[in-house]
Amino acid sequence: QVQLVESGGGLVQAGGSLRLSCAASGRTFRGYVMGWFRQAPGKEREFVAAISWSGGSTDYADSVKGRFTISRDNAKNTVYLQMNSLKPEDTSVYYCAVLHSGPLTSVSSYNYWGQGTQVTVSS
């Protein structure tokens, strides 16, 4: 069992920045690919970014490429999402998750999820 707790969300103006954190506990964090997803009201949960265990491989949704950066600190069992140049359309609840198997961008590939943190970007 892995517990994930996201933090760092909040209200920010368009063009601003936020840094989300996802702290993992429970079973060892070692070896896990981690992902960030988001879900806006009335919309399906969508892939944002993923990172390999070593941090050497990352993947991003086209909508956030060049603006968001995913990173991890395995010593702290924590994954981060640095979000710059935020837009109103980035407003969502952001979730971190642990990859079980399958495509990185698929919700069904992940078997552990945090409770989410709200990000609101005002225009």
Side-chain angles (χ1 to χ4, degrees):
Q1 191 78 8
V2 175
Q3 291 79 42
L4 304 173
V5 178
E6 301 95 337
S7 61
L11 174 63
V12 64
Q13 289 188 333
S17 298
L18 283 174
R19 187 195 196 200
L20 306 184
S21 298
C22 171
S25 62
R27 285 178 57 186
T28 178
F29 195 56
R30 185 175 184 80
Y32 290 143
V33 171
M34 300 294 297
W36 282 98
F37 286 75
R38 65 187 182 186
Q39 187 168 20
K43 294 187 177 181
E44 293 187 352
R45 193 167 297 189
E46 64 174 6
F47 172 78
V48 174
I51 187 167
S52 64
W53 156 249
S54 69
S57 178
T58 57
D59 193 19
Y60 296 93
D62 288 343
S63 59
V64 306
K65 279 181 182 176
R67 300 188 298 122
F68 290 11
T69 303
I70 188 171
S71 62
R72 66 192 296 166
D73 184 339
N74 290 331
K76 295 182 179 180
N77 287 345
T78 301
V79 178
Y80 305 96
L81 186 68
Q82 177 67 44
M83 306 186 296
N84 298 328
S85 302
L86 283 161
K87 305 175 181 180
E89 51 263 43
D90 293 319
T91 296
S92 287
V93 177
Y94 283 73
Y95 301 89
C96 66
V98 178
L99 180 71
H100 175 61
S101 65
L104 286 177
T105 60
S106 176
V107 170
S108 62
S109 298
Y110 295 77
N111 59 344
Y112 293 110
W113 294 84
Q115 84 291 346
T117 185
Q118 176 71 47
V119 171
T120 302
V121 184
S122 63
S123 58

